[in-house]
Amino acid sequence: MQYKTRQFTINEQALSVVSHDGKKCDIRPKTCQLLLVLLKNTGKLVTKKQLLAEVWNTSVVDEQVIFQSIKEIRALFGDHTVIKTLPKQGYIWLPKVVKQTAPFDVTVFERTPYLFLLLFIISIVGGYFMLNERWLGKKSDVLAGSIVVLPTMNLIEGHDHSWVRLGMMDQVIQRLPSHSEFGILQTDYVLEVLDRAKAPIDNIDTQHINTIFNVSGAELLISTRLSGSPHDYQLSYTFYHRNAQTQGVLFSSDTQVLVDKLVNEIHAVLGATPQTSSNYYHRDFESEMLGAAIDFRLNNNYRAAKGLLETLVLEDNQNLTAQRLFIDTLFNLQDYETLEKQLEEALPIAKAQNDPLELIRLTYFQVLRLLQLDQVEQAELLVLEAFSLAKRHHDWLFMAYLTDLKAHIAITRGHLNLAAAFYRETMSYHRVLKCPVGESSSWINLGLVAKKQNDLHQQTLAFTQAKNIAKQRGLHNQLAWIEQLENK
């Protein structure tokens, strides 16, 4: 394994440090081991006791050896500030760190010159195609797929920061751009993903990361931890890619400035142009009551959630997040009378606030209710209106959901071929997000259309495709649904 930071490459196996110009730096093995411990814990406090235990575990030494190694590291990097000292506690590595699999040892090529020649040819051919991609105008430097911002782990005691877990996550999501190449999963959908992955929203650790990648199809996961004390905050972050990870830490006396700094770091990773900085943030999630209501919903306790959300909406009807979650909760409780009144209140607020994402979601609920009432003509007009808005803002998830509703409307009118075309279109939007649940569900719906058309071959083919995706990604609920349909 090797680590890159401040234009230096540190190789864990060779205990070596190489500068950006390829020169091997002079560093003692113990000092390099200490550096590696700091790099592996970027943004986190590493105590002196931990350093002694990990680096000098076979020797009896005093703390002076740590001071000497820290001094050597600062001299090597030519910057005293790369390591923050917390008196009587320990040290924190501050710069960004990229973790990568170490390349082959050069001795392999010395022993096998033909292998070296082969790999050289492959690299030339690969370089040719990469250049052609650029000549053809492909945006190879822009990350593709879906981006999942995870709840922020709050390590600050007291109720004043209870909003951080979901609030900071939601603020980051709001500041990220919509894009034709990737999709930013919105907060409530991230919570659905975590529920599928059986990952607790208040304590997501590394053992959950692979599962979240599998069930979400994400290309990038963003994990954050807020620590420190009020007006002396530090936000450590990890960007999880499928084959690498980047870590860093940010400091500020203001949580909003931390959000701005983190968003700038994410923009750099995405290869997207940063949006103009704004001091305006939705603060819908900065509520302890809303957090409790979400916990109830995640545990399917919709009655308890209803009471809290109703109180929130009465106190602040401008909180569109609470409005939408309240409406969704009313759907689950089949309280349609209250639901219709709430939609009448929430939709004009979303339009007045010029909030396209919330307006799309509220319209989606309105369409569902109209279809329940068999008001298909009105429902279809609203679907087209909401889809146009979703397309304009690259809201891939709701482009998929709304196209799914188009397919449902086509089925009610007996236009089965059109419905199948809509389900294939739905699948294409889920594929932008690389969402296995959405793609699997689209195949299931295509199978159901084939069943209505008495096309056993297409039905079997579609269910098989759905099942393969569900098996590969460990989607147990999808598998159960497919097996139930096959048994019918």
Side-chain angles (χ1 to χ4, degrees):
M1 191 64 66
Q2 66 182 22
Y3 301 82
K4 291 191 174 183
T5 183
R6 285 286 180 93
Q7 296 185 320
F8 287 85
T9 300
I10 300 89
N11 190 297
E12 187 173 14
Q13 285 73 36
L15 288 180
S16 64
V17 178
V18 178
S19 62
H20 69 282
D21 56 2
K23 292 182 180 178
K24 192 171 182 179
C25 302
D26 187 20
I27 186 170
R28 294 187 300 121
K30 289 295 184 185
T31 298
C32 191
Q33 286 178 344
L34 185 145
L35 173 59
L36 284 163
V37 174
L38 293 176
L39 296 179
K40 291 176 183 178
N41 294 277
T42 303
K44 301 176 187 176
L45 174 67
V46 181
T47 64
K48 296 173 184 177
K49 183 178 179 181
Q50 182 180 345
L51 289 171
L52 289 172
E54 293 194 33
V55 180
W56 288 276
N57 57 330
T58 60
S59 309
V60 179
V61 295
D62 60 28
E63 292 182 356
Q64 187 61 39
V65 296
I66 298 176
F67 304 147
Q68 180 60 34
S69 288
I70 294 292
K71 182 179 177 182
E72 291 171 10
I73 292 168
R74 285 171 170 158
L76 175 67
F77 282 83
D79 185 354
H80 181 83
T81 64
V82 292
I83 301 173
K84 181 175 182 178
T85 301
L86 297 182
K88 298 183 180 180
Q89 297 182 58
Y91 305 92
I92 302 173
W93 183 264
L94 301 182
K96 184 189 298 184
V97 176
V98 177
K99 181 179 178 183
Q100 294 179 332
T101 302
F104 291 116
D105 193 317
V106 70
T107 55
V108 173
F109 298 113
E110 291 172 354
R111 291 194 299 268
T112 54
Y114 292 110
L115 176 60
F116 173 77
L117 179 61
L118 177 62
L119 290 176
F120 176 74
I121 293 169
I122 291 171
S123 69
I124 293 295
V125 173
Y128 169 79
F129 283 109
M130 286 175 68
L131 284 172
N132 269 308
E133 278 193 357
R134 289 188 175 91
W135 292 336
L136 290 170
K138 292 183 180 179
K139 300 177 181 177
S140 58
D141 57 336
V142 176
L143 185 146
S146 57
I147 318 301
V148 175
V149 181
L150 299 170
T152 299
M153 184 179 291
N154 174 34
L155 302 179
I156 300 175
E157 294 184 0
H159 294 299
D160 291 345
H161 294 80
S162 59
W163 65 272
V164 162
R165 181 182 63 172
L166 298 178
M168 184 167 281
M169 171 182 78
D170 190 60
Q171 287 181 6
V172 172
I173 289 170
Q174 289 178 44
R175 292 294 311 280
L176 294 177
S178 56
H179 201 279
S180 59
E181 299 291 325
F182 57 76
I184 309 296
L185 298 191
Q186 297 300 302
T187 299
D188 44 357
Y189 191 71
V190 173
L191 296 178
E192 285 184 33
V193 167
L194 296 181
D195 186 46
R196 280 186 227 139
K198 294 182 170 51
I201 63 175
D202 56 348
N203 188 25
I204 300 167
D205 57 31
T206 52
Q207 68 178 337
H208 300 114
I209 295 301
N210 284 339
T211 308
I212 296 170
F213 268 123
N214 275 337
V215 302
S216 68
E219 287 299 308
L220 175 66
L221 302 182
I222 298 167
S223 171
T224 53
R225 295 156 57 100
L226 184 70
S227 57
S229 57
H231 307 297
D232 185 20
Y233 299 108
Q234 61 186 51
L235 184 69
S236 55
Y237 62 85
T238 303
F239 297 155
Y240 292 99
H241 301 267
R242 289 187 176 273
N243 299 310
Q245 55 182 266
T246 304
Q247 295 178 310
V249 62
L250 306 166
F251 291 89
S252 178
S253 60
D254 187 334
T255 57
Q256 302 303 317
V257 173
L258 286 177
V259 169
D260 284 333
K261 288 183 175 182
L262 179 62
V263 167
N264 286 337
E265 295 287 340
I266 298 169
H267 276 125
V269 172
L270 298 180
T273 305
Q275 295 175 327
T276 305
S277 181
S278 170
N279 293 322
Y280 172 73
Y281 295 92
H282 288 295
R283 306 181 81 93
D284 292 354
F285 279 90
E286 297 189 14
S287 163
E288 192 173 348
M289 194 182 296
L290 184 59
I294 288 170
D295 286 336
F296 281 131
R297 282 171 50 85
L298 289 172
N299 290 309
N300 297 318
N301 190 347
Y302 290 101
R303 294 203 176 277
K306 177 186 174 183
L308 294 176
L309 292 167
E310 191 168 21
T311 301
L312 272 171
V313 168
L314 287 171
E315 289 178 355
D316 178 14
N317 70 347
Q318 300 296 305
N319 186 328
L320 287 172
T321 300
Q323 289 270 22
R324 172 170 43 79
L325 292 176
F326 186 34
I327 288 165
D328 187 33
T329 299
L330 293 169
F331 250 118
N332 280 279
L333 294 173
Q334 298 181 6
D335 184 351
Y336 298 124
E337 184 179 350
T338 309
L339 165 74
E340 289 173 10
K341 291 178 183 176
Q342 210 60 44
L343 277 169
E344 286 178 9
E345 177 182 299
L347 282 161
I349 294 171
K351 290 176 183 175
Q353 289 187 12
N354 194 24
D355 190 330
L357 296 183
E358 289 295 354
L359 184 57
I360 291 163
R361 284 148 180 74
L362 290 170
T363 305
Y364 176 79
F365 286 125
Q366 187 181 21
V367 171
L368 289 179
R369 182 56 184 152
L370 288 171
L371 290 175
Q372 283 182 333
L373 298 170
D374 290 327
Q375 297 179 22
V376 178
E377 299 282 343
Q378 190 178 350
E380 186 174 29
L381 289 173
L382 286 174
V383 165
L384 295 174
E385 183 182 313
F387 180 84
S388 176
L389 190 59
K391 187 175 182 180
R392 216 158 47 237
H393 292 274
H394 300 302
D395 190 345
W396 297 104
L397 184 65
F398 272 80
M399 285 165 71
Y401 286 174
L402 291 161
T403 306
D404 201 83
L405 289 181
K406 290 181 188 178
H408 175 81
I409 292 170
I411 289 171
T412 62
R413 290 174 171 163
H415 302 154
L416 297 182
N417 288 334
L418 180 60
F422 281 138
Y423 283 133
R424 290 191 186 92
E425 184 182 340
T426 299
M427 193 184 303
S428 72
Y429 301 135
H430 284 303
R431 281 175 174 167
V432 172
L433 297 173
K434 299 187 178 179
C435 175
V437 174
E439 188 174 351
S440 174
S441 297
S442 297
W443 279 116
I444 291 171
N445 286 326
L446 281 168
L448 292 173
V449 170
K451 185 177 181 179
K452 287 179 180 291
Q453 294 173 317
N454 296 315
D455 189 336
L456 182 59
H457 174 71
Q458 287 299 323
Q459 177 188 333
T460 303
L461 179 65
F463 283 167
T464 300
Q465 292 277 20
K467 192 185 295 185
N468 288 341
I469 294 169
K471 284 180 178 177
Q472 289 169 6
R473 297 306 188 92
L475 305 175
H476 304 298
N477 290 339
Q478 293 287 98
L479 279 172
W481 181 23
I482 297 164
E483 287 171 7
Q484 184 180 2
L485 291 171
E486 286 179 329
N487 290 334
K488 285 184 179 179

